[in-house]
Amino acid sequence: MHRLFVALRPPLAIRGALAAVQGEVPHARWQEDDQLHLTVRYIGEVERPAAEDIALALGQVCAPAPTVALAGVGAFDKQGRVDALWAGVAPHDALAALHRKVDQALVRVGLEPERRAYLPHITLARLPRSAGNDPAIEQWRARNAALTSEPFGLDALILYESRLGRDGASYQAVMRFPMD
């Protein structure tokens, strides 16, 4: 089985800016440089033949390369506790359109359509249950609320394989699809 997702990779300078805001939250597992990405569509576990169909379908997606900028930070919570910290990007329109195109291509090869609302972001840290709602989380959010950058382009869709290990997930780029 292959655990797959489709993402965009921010340029090196942006990844550096994201690394600069990481830290000062106890128990946070900060994402390494090779983990920083903007998910377009999570796929999940598929067998090899389906993975090959997915790669072919992604190769047919025609879309302009989106240009975005960093736009603040936020957190996801599950059942009242923060479990992830992220950096936002804006504007959303081109990313949402790309998400729809990728979703439609994947549905055509037999995957279920995405049912969750799409919120473009770059995950910066994951927090274990033991972190609770530490005040350091809100302090981090307040310190970094004004995170911004110059606009940057995201020029290729990347099909990633995710492998889960004791230290979290590692991501390997399987295929890269340049955008027009």
Side-chain angles (χ1 to χ4, degrees):
M1 292 289 268
H2 300 274
R3 188 171 185 255
L4 304 175
F5 65 94
V6 181
L8 303 163
R9 182 101 160 109
L12 181 61
I14 297 302
R15 297 191 319 265
L18 295 171
V21 301
Q22 293 180 345
E24 300 182 22
V25 176
H27 310 291
R29 288 187 323 260
W30 297 99
Q31 301 292 285
E32 299 290 331
D33 179 78
D34 62 347
Q35 295 173 306
L36 294 173
H37 65 274
L38 191 158
T39 301
V40 175
R41 171 69 153 71
Y42 178 73
I43 296 170
E45 290 190 357
V46 298
E47 297 287 345
R48 184 173 183 88
E52 291 170 355
D53 291 344
I54 287 165
L56 287 172
L58 291 173
Q60 301 300 311
V61 172
C62 292
T67 298
V68 297
L70 295 177
V73 297
F76 288 127
D77 65 59
K78 226 179 243 180
Q79 300 172 341
R81 71 164 188 85
V82 173
D83 69 344
L85 302 174
W86 50 263
V89 293
H92 290 188
D93 295 347
L95 294 169
L98 179 60
H99 168 76
R100 283 190 299 276
K101 286 184 177 198
V102 167
D103 191 52
Q104 290 166 356
L106 296 177
V107 167
R108 283 193 294 274
V109 296
L111 271 65
E112 288 293 316
E114 178 65 66
R115 304 245 185 259
R116 296 173 292 181
Y118 181 62
L119 174 64
H121 68 280
I122 301 168
T123 299
L124 299 177
R126 301 203 184 276
L127 296 159
R129 285 190 180 98
S130 61
N133 284 321
D134 190 310
I137 295 168
E138 283 309 310
Q139 293 165 359
W140 179 88
R141 288 179 70 181
R143 258 192 326 276
N144 296 292
L147 177 67
T148 59
S149 71
E150 292 295 319
F152 57 93
L154 298 162
D155 62 356
L157 278 174
I158 303 170
L159 178 62
Y160 281 97
E161 183 166 2
S162 173
R163 294 194 176 121
L164 300 176
R166 282 191 315 159
D167 297 327
S170 64
Y171 307 136
Q172 178 181 1
V174 176
M175 291 192 80
R176 183 180 171 87
F177 307 93
M179 289 187 286
D180 297 334

